[in-house]
Amino acid sequence: MEKTLIDYLKEIPDFRDSKGCRHPLWLVLLIVIMGIMSVSRGYRQLGRFTPTASFDFD
């Protein structure tokens, strides 16, 4: 079976402090990648992209 992008992102170690971490690192990285692919440049545009994106990982 081939690995997906999510599988690769889940392999990246998360060095953040667990206190205050709301979302897993792989999900944050995936949203950033999708935002960049959707021509979101910068934090403000990425912030506008995030609520409009629909995610279904189940």
Side-chain angles (χ1 to χ4, degrees):
M1 187 167 111
E2 296 182 20
K3 292 174 80 171
T4 64
L5 174 61
I6 293 174
D7 294 329
Y8 284 108
L9 292 175
K10 286 182 178 181
E11 291 178 1
I12 299 173
D14 189 354
F15 295 105
R16 301 177 296 170
D17 186 12
S18 61
K19 183 180 179 183
C21 259
R22 294 183 182 183
H23 307 290
L25 181 63
W26 69 267
L27 182 59
V28 174
L29 294 173
L30 181 65
I31 292 170
V32 169
I33 291 169
M34 291 174 61
I36 290 170
M37 291 175 63
S38 300
V39 192
S40 294
R41 302 287 186 242
Y43 293 121
R44 185 170 292 159
Q45 288 180 343
L46 187 60
R48 288 187 202 126
F49 163 78
T50 304
T52 61
S54 60
F55 303 104
D56 184 20
F57 297 112
D58 295 330

